[in-house]
Amino acid sequence: MRNKTNNLNEIHIHSLINFVLENNEESEKLASSAYNLHSSNSKTLSAIQKLDPSITTDSKFVCVTEGEFSFKDSLHFHFFLSYHYLIDFFKRNKVLDEEGRKNFKKVYYQWEKILQPNAKLIVLIYHEKFNLNFAEWFTSKNDRDFWFMYHPFLDTLPFLNIKISELEILLPIILGKTKNDLTGGMIFNAVEKWAELNPELGNNFLQSISTKPSELKMFIAKTLSGLAKSVGIEQIFIKTMSLIENDDIEVRKSAILGASLMKLHPIENKSQIKLLTDSLIKIYKEKQEELEPVLAETYGNLLVITSDSKLKIFELSYSHNPHTQFIIADILWRKVDYNNDKIWFTNVLMNLCSVEPQFGGTIQNIERTLQKVMKDSLSTVFQFIEKWILMPGIKPEDIMLLEGIFREIRKNYYDQYSWFITDWLNKGELKFHLALEKLLLKSTENVNLNLDYLKALNEVDLQYIICKMFAFVHNINQLKSMLNSFIELDIKDENTIEFLRKITFTIALDYPSLKEFLIDKKESTKGIKLKFINALLEDIETYFKDYESITQLSEVRPSEQRMNLYWKAQQKVNTNIYEESKTKNEIFNLFNNVSLKSGGTWFSKFEGEYTKKGSLGHFSSQIEIPRKELIDPIGQTRLRYFYRTIKKPK
């Protein structure tokens, strides 16, 4: 019978390993029985036919009932099945060179499906019984070898009989390989668990890395935390405080953080908390910039433990140290509820407006924080973004770093989104208009202006928004929806109506589809609005009628040779645009470009076999190119420049 799988953390895994190391013959028989059990696809085997009775006496792993043999639970079954796979593999692969590692990876993925959720046993047995050399995998020329073995190493490290010298070789390799990867921090948690389950080794490791000039000192914090869980906070805290007083700045930083990672109880560890608080105050007063990040992280860990943590985090949020800013943003995202102290949270968040755009990790933490705040206070979100975009060194295009926020707002709070669009068009700072231009260029969805916002404005502000709409909005669908907002506004001022008519007419000359939009709009419009639309349509009809009646003079017509040169030059431009779009366009990035060799069909090779031929699908997209931008690009640029530079009336 195979019962529910046990977690490796909940069993004495070392007893299984020791049994295999000390009882080679019996272990191999159990491994063979596990394989037979798996092959038979049965829960039990006949003890007489499939099993040597001499091994059934060890009731720790197996049981025999009425002649039927089974493992006590699925963990033991998977353990010995894993052992069988490895025995069989190493009989066929004596040397694990590059080709051997390739073969191992291939069979491992097959084993993994069978052994889930205990596939990590493969690597555990491989290391303990077959002398797995992690360094060979981690330093292989093939980076895939590292990533293949990295996660199994993390899972099994707490249970490995690994020497400190081996660990000190492996950890720097791992840090180097994962420095730009989100999974890099996982090695610290694995070391913490290893120190917890192996306190004697953990203490020796702590002593070793505390005295060596290496990057391994950053593991002091997690090692202390792991030891505190097994040895006890009281004993480890004394050692921690001595490390905090160390002359080595790296040792101090890691020890400070380690103290905050311990599960300090407000009552049971009152004396330790007092000692730590006094020590942190002393360190804080030193004003050492290189200690700022670790102090920020430490106070973040102690938010519910020490009374002065929130004040210290607020003070540290003024820092321009990029690492400190990253930590503060991470604290807001992960550890603090906005509703618990809105004023403090908002003040700390606003201090992060000095974050520079090149620090993507911090920006990402800020974006996640804003998404968290969004459901409770959109005004705080907009307040931060507006303050940030006006900071020196922030360019309008940097708004795209927070593009995800605007997508969320548009999706879930459309009224507030339209209010934001309208408000930014109405602002006097050019930076807002340029940033909004970047945002809208990225989107193809319609954008309405907020009618309640528009109704509260005077005629001068309405005309100002119309100017900025024409100057900074380039997508015709967005222009249609914004113009529709003005039509629905029911404007009374004649000057504003006339100005809107002229701007709409100019847009219609650029985008003929606007005429169709106005014709459809007529069906649901009456009164002054209908009069406005009819006048517009009449102006458009008159313009195009006059335009089409113009006779082209042969004297000014370009020669055929000149036109050929023009079209060749235009073809080069189009080719460059197409090639550039293949690298930047998200749709192109979804597909591989493959040259077909069989006409209008396709096929592929899967698991050594060619698939049947299939028909090709078809997809396309189109946009309306601004007509006057092609006819008179310089004139249109000058016209837009005029409206882009109009100052907001005071």
Side-chain angles (χ1 to χ4, degrees):
M1 180 178 175
R2 289 182 248 168
N3 299 322
K4 186 177 178 181
T5 303
N6 293 314
N7 188 300
L8 287 189
N9 294 336
E10 299 170 355
I11 64 157
H12 299 293
I13 192 68
H14 291 296
S15 65
L16 280 166
I17 292 295
N18 290 335
F19 180 82
V20 168
L21 294 176
E22 297 169 4
N23 302 275
N24 191 61
E25 185 178 349
E26 285 190 74
S27 298
E28 290 189 10
K29 288 179 181 179
L30 282 170
S32 178
S33 296
Y35 179 71
N36 290 335
L37 186 61
H38 168 68
S39 300
S40 69
N41 197 27
S42 172
K43 293 182 178 181
T44 62
L45 288 175
S46 168
I48 297 173
Q49 296 176 357
K50 303 292 184 180
L51 186 68
D52 183 339
S54 64
I55 66 172
T56 63
T57 55
D58 192 336
S59 61
K60 290 191 297 183
F61 308 138
V62 300
C63 58
V64 177
T65 305
E66 297 180 357
E68 293 294 318
F69 160 81
S70 66
F71 285 89
K72 286 199 166 182
D73 55 46
S74 57
L75 175 72
H76 292 86
F77 167 69
H78 283 153
F79 181 89
F80 287 104
L81 182 58
S82 301
Y83 186 35
H84 170 82
Y85 286 145
L86 287 167
I87 292 171
D88 182 63
F89 177 81
F90 283 106
K91 282 180 181 178
R92 292 179 284 106
N93 297 267
K94 302 298 183 184
V95 180
L96 209 63
D97 53 10
E98 186 174 348
E99 185 64 26
R101 287 194 292 271
K102 183 179 178 181
N103 293 335
F104 183 82
K105 287 188 287 186
K106 185 177 180 180
V107 294
Y108 178 85
Y109 291 127
Q110 298 171 8
W111 301 338
E112 189 177 35
K113 294 177 183 178
I114 299 169
L115 296 168
Q116 286 293 3
N118 292 318
K120 63 189 77 174
L121 290 170
I122 287 283
V123 174
L124 181 62
I125 300 168
Y126 181 3
H127 181 270
E128 302 300 300
K129 180 67 175 178
F130 298 95
N131 301 317
L132 163 59
N133 188 336
F134 285 109
E136 288 184 357
W137 286 85
F138 289 170
T139 58
S140 168
K141 293 179 181 179
N142 186 349
D143 276 346
R144 292 183 179 181
D145 286 350
F146 170 81
W147 292 109
F148 169 81
M149 192 56 72
Y150 175 55
H151 289 284
F153 174 76
L154 296 178
D155 291 335
T156 57
L157 176 60
F159 309 101
L160 295 178
N161 182 23
I162 191 169
K163 296 178 180 178
I164 292 175
S165 58
E166 182 183 357
L167 194 58
E168 290 180 346
I169 291 172
L170 296 177
L171 292 179
I173 298 172
I174 292 172
L175 291 175
K177 293 278 189 178
T178 62
K179 62 181 178 181
N180 296 320
D181 193 87
L182 292 175
T183 63
M186 296 171 69
I187 184 60
F188 292 92
N189 294 332
V191 168
E192 179 183 34
K193 191 65 180 177
W194 171 78
E196 178 187 354
L197 297 184
N198 304 274
E200 184 177 349
L201 286 173
N203 265 309
N204 293 336
F205 177 66
L206 179 65
Q207 180 64 30
S208 177
I209 62 177
S210 300
T211 56
K212 290 183 179 178
S214 74
E215 58 189 330
L216 291 174
K217 290 171 184 173
M218 63 177 67
F219 286 95
I220 290 174
K222 284 292 189 176
T223 305
L224 288 169
S225 175
L227 290 171
K229 293 176 181 178
S230 56
V231 177
I233 289 176
E234 292 78 6
Q235 181 178 337
I236 297 302
F237 193 83
I238 297 171
K239 183 173 294 187
T240 303
M241 294 305 295
S242 68
L243 290 173
I244 289 176
E245 300 297 325
N246 197 290
D247 293 333
D248 188 320
I249 189 70
E250 296 303 321
V251 172
R252 291 186 72 195
K253 285 159 62 175
S254 202
I256 291 168
L257 183 59
S260 71
L261 292 175
M262 297 179 192
K263 303 297 182 182
L264 296 169
H265 191 278
I267 298 174
E268 295 176 4
N269 303 115
K270 192 173 182 179
S271 60
Q272 286 86 6
I273 293 173
K274 177 68 168 59
L275 283 172
L276 180 59
T277 302
D278 293 342
S279 180
L280 290 176
I281 291 173
K282 180 182 176 182
I283 295 168
Y284 186 83
K285 289 179 179 179
E286 293 176 12
K287 299 294 181 183
Q288 291 190 51
E289 186 176 354
E290 57 186 323
L291 287 176
E292 274 188 4
V294 74
L295 283 172
E297 188 170 359
T298 297
Y299 280 118
N301 293 334
L302 298 173
L303 272 169
V304 296
I305 302 297
T306 62
S307 58
D308 63 339
S309 291
K310 292 178 89 171
L311 174 62
K312 292 297 189 293
I313 290 172
F314 172 70
E315 292 173 351
L316 288 166
S317 68
Y318 283 100
S319 171
H320 288 248
N321 181 317
H323 194 185
T324 304
Q325 291 175 328
F326 175 86
I327 297 297
I328 298 292
D330 188 70
I331 290 170
L332 291 183
W333 170 41
R334 295 177 187 271
K335 300 180 179 180
V336 187
D337 186 344
Y338 170 76
N339 289 309
N340 285 347
D341 193 338
K342 295 180 181 180
I343 295 175
W344 176 85
F345 192 106
T346 302
N347 288 335
V348 173
L349 177 62
M350 293 306 155
N351 286 343
L352 292 177
C353 284
S354 60
V355 172
E356 297 177 14
Q358 66 265 32
F359 299 110
T362 308
I363 296 293
Q364 191 175 54
N365 281 343
I366 290 173
E367 184 178 27
R368 289 163 174 162
T369 301
L370 294 176
Q371 287 174 334
K372 186 171 76 170
V373 174
M374 188 187 303
K375 63 181 182 294
D376 297 307
S377 178
L378 261 179
S379 60
T380 301
V381 175
F382 287 133
Q383 183 186 353
F384 174 86
I385 294 172
E386 291 179 2
K387 186 176 179 181
W388 180 69
I389 204 69
L390 289 177
M391 293 295 290
I394 304 298
K395 299 176 182 177
E397 55 265 31
D398 292 332
I399 194 69
M400 300 310 296
L401 295 171
L402 299 176
E403 181 191 3
I405 285 290
F406 293 103
R407 282 201 304 267
E408 286 290 315
I409 296 174
R410 190 187 194 286
K411 179 181 177 181
N412 300 309
Y413 309 96
Y414 188 79
D415 286 344
Q416 291 90 332
Y417 179 77
S418 66
W419 186 96
F420 142 74
I421 296 289
T422 312
D423 185 57
W424 276 31
L425 286 172
N426 191 36
K427 288 188 179 296
E429 295 87 353
L430 177 63
K431 226 176 182 184
F432 287 115
H433 303 145
L434 292 170
L436 184 60
E437 181 180 43
K438 298 294 181 183
L439 272 176
L440 295 180
L441 277 172
K442 184 71 173 179
S443 171
T444 58
E445 297 174 313
N446 296 349
V447 180
N448 296 316
L449 298 179
N450 190 283
L451 288 179
D452 292 333
Y453 187 104
L454 293 175
K455 288 175 182 178
L457 300 179
N458 57 37
E459 292 76 14
V460 175
D461 286 335
L462 287 175
Q463 292 181 37
Y464 179 78
I465 291 178
I466 293 170
C467 289
K468 299 307 174 184
M469 175 191 71
F470 173 75
F472 292 98
V473 182
H474 304 279
N475 183 285
I476 182 56
N477 293 323
Q478 294 168 352
L479 285 168
K480 286 176 184 177
S481 56
M482 290 183 180
L483 288 169
N484 184 64
S485 299
F486 277 107
I487 294 173
E488 293 296 325
L489 186 60
D490 200 13
I491 302 170
K492 305 297 183 184
D493 180 68
E494 290 295 331
N495 291 331
T496 305
I497 293 174
E498 179 62 18
F499 185 69
L500 177 63
R501 187 181 67 81
K502 288 180 178 179
I503 291 293
T504 308
F505 174 73
T506 303
I507 295 171
L509 301 186
D510 230 2
Y511 298 96
S513 68
L514 183 57
K515 176 183 173 182
E516 300 171 11
F517 168 76
L518 292 171
I519 292 172
D520 292 339
K521 182 70 179 173
K522 280 178 61 175
E523 298 179 4
S524 59
T525 307
K526 56 184 178 180
I528 297 175
K529 300 175 187 176
L530 181 60
K531 183 179 178 181
F532 173 81
I533 293 174
N534 283 332
L536 256 175
L537 290 172
E538 186 178 343
D539 289 344
I540 296 168
E541 287 285 351
T542 301
Y543 172 85
F544 281 106
K545 186 176 181 181
D546 292 343
Y547 178 80
E548 291 168 1
S549 66
I550 295 174
T551 303
Q552 187 175 14
L553 299 175
S554 59
E555 289 83 358
V556 297
R557 183 181 299 165
S559 67
E560 186 175 341
Q561 182 182 11
R562 185 178 179 85
M563 286 304 298
N564 286 336
L565 292 172
Y566 169 79
W567 288 117
K568 284 182 180 179
Q570 187 62 42
Q571 189 175 14
K572 286 183 179 180
V573 172
N574 293 339
T575 300
N576 290 336
I577 293 173
Y578 174 73
E579 292 299 326
E580 185 179 359
S581 70
K582 287 200 296 186
T583 59
K584 294 184 178 180
N585 191 290
E586 294 176 1
I587 293 179
F588 275 114
N589 291 335
L590 294 175
F591 305 100
N592 290 327
N593 191 16
V594 179
S595 298
L596 296 174
K597 298 180 180 179
S598 58
T601 60
W602 70 277
F603 62 91
S604 64
K605 195 172 186 180
F606 179 71
E607 293 185 351
E609 300 289 335
Y610 287 102
T611 63
K612 294 180 179 180
K613 291 183 179 180
S615 301
L616 294 173
H618 175 77
F619 69 92
S620 64
S621 66
Q622 60 184 15
I623 59 170
E624 186 175 5
I625 298 175
R627 177 175 165 274
K628 292 191 73 176
E629 296 282 356
L630 295 176
I631 297 173
D632 183 19
I634 295 176
Q636 285 298 98
T637 300
R638 291 179 63 188
L639 183 62
R640 285 190 183 276
Y641 181 77
F642 172 77
Y643 287 109
R644 288 165 82 94
T645 54
I646 286 178
K647 301 292 183 183
K648 184 173 177 63
K650 295 182 179 179

